[in-house]
């Protein structure tokens, strides 16, 4: 499956993604990652800065799920796929890590790239989109800002 503009927009507007992995016994693990980006049409790249548990799990079981949500627009996506750990010595590390290095800057060295090749993409929407279909996206944003007690700059 390939990314469309809606997926790319929500990736850009999501502060974090949540990476779910399982260990060799099937025990789940979910942790947040701020440094993530789309790479081409069907891959996500995530920076392993301090994610030894996820990296260990992926080595044992490469199937993963990644979700991300634009908290103000109250929607995002759930992506399932197969992950590969790409160390700095790999031929494609420079290409795969370029956007992550730009995001992370020099203070957050990237130990590995977690490359996720996408198998399935599913929409995530807040229940309010279904329960109140007449609300515009701007109304959703305004209500969320009020709920969270924040204002735009
Ligand atoms: C807001 C936030 C953003 C984070 N971003 C990243 C990230 O981009 N890359 C990373 O490796 N760890 C990141 N972390 C840290 C990991 O989530 C944390 O070290 C976690 O315990 C790793 O678990 P794991 O080893 O099971 O993957 C972030 C944590 C927080 C709270």
């Amino acid at each position: 499956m390939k990314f469309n503009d809606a997926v790319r927009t929500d990736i850009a507007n999501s502060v974090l993604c949540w990476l779910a992995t399982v260990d060799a016994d099937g025990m789940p693990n979910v942790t947040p990652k701020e440094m993530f980006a789309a790479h081409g049409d069907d891959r996500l790249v995530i920076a392993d800065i301090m994610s030894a548990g996820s990296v260990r799990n992926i080595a044992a079981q490469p199937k993963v799920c990644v979700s991300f949500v634009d908290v103000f627009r109250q929607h995002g996506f759930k992506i399932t796929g197969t992950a590969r750990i790409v160390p700095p010595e790999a031929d494609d590390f420079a290409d795969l890590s370029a956007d992550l290095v730009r995001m992370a800057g020099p203070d957050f060295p990237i130990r590995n790239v977690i490359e996720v090749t996408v198998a399935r993409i599913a929409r995530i929407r807040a229940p309010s989109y279904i329960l109140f279909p007449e609300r515009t996206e701007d109304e959703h944003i305004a209500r969320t800002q009020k709920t969270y007690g924040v204002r735009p700059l």
Side-chain angles (χ1 to χ4, degrees):
M1 250 185 127
K2 296 199 167 169
F3 298 141
N4 59 20
D5 287 346
V7 179
R8 290 178 192 284
T9 299
D10 280 4
I11 290 174
N13 289 335
S14 296
V15 176
L16 295 172
C17 73
W18 293 82
L19 172 64
T21 60
V22 290
D23 71 12
D25 298 324
M27 186 63 78
N29 178 63
V30 183
T31 51
K33 317 288 175 212
E34 188 176 342
M35 307 300 164
F36 75 109
H39 190 84
D41 284 342
D42 65 350
R43 282 180 289 173
L44 269 186
V45 286
I46 302 171
D48 162 27
I49 297 166
M50 219 169 279
S51 293
S54 295
V55 167
R56 195 167 48 244
N57 282 1
I58 288 164
Q61 166 52 271
K63 293 213 167 66
V64 301
C65 183
V66 184
S67 63
F68 48 88
V69 167
D70 174 338
V71 289
F72 292 108
R73 290 175 185 80
Q74 299 264 286
H75 55 58
F77 288 91
K78 177 174 68 175
I79 287 177
T80 43
T82 303
R84 179 173 71 109
I85 303 302
V86 184
E89 56 274 18
D91 289 345
D92 50 356
F93 181 85
D95 175 45
L96 292 170
S97 66
D99 287 340
L100 300 173
V101 168
R102 252 191 307 279
M103 293 163 83
D107 291 342
F108 297 97
I110 296 172
R111 297 194 296 211
N112 297 285
V113 172
I114 300 170
E115 176 202 50
V116 179
T117 300
V118 175
R120 284 204 312 268
I121 305 173
R123 224 343 161 187
I124 298 174
R125 274 191 199 284
S128 54
Y129 275 93
I130 316 298
L131 297 171
F132 307 103
E134 70 284 1
R135 282 185 197 163
T136 64
E137 189 164 273
D138 283 348
E139 278 180 83
H140 283 281
I141 293 170
R143 283 171 183 272
T144 311
Q145 286 168 342
K146 199 168 167 213
T147 302
Y148 296 162
V150 296
R151 282 201 208 122
L153 286 173

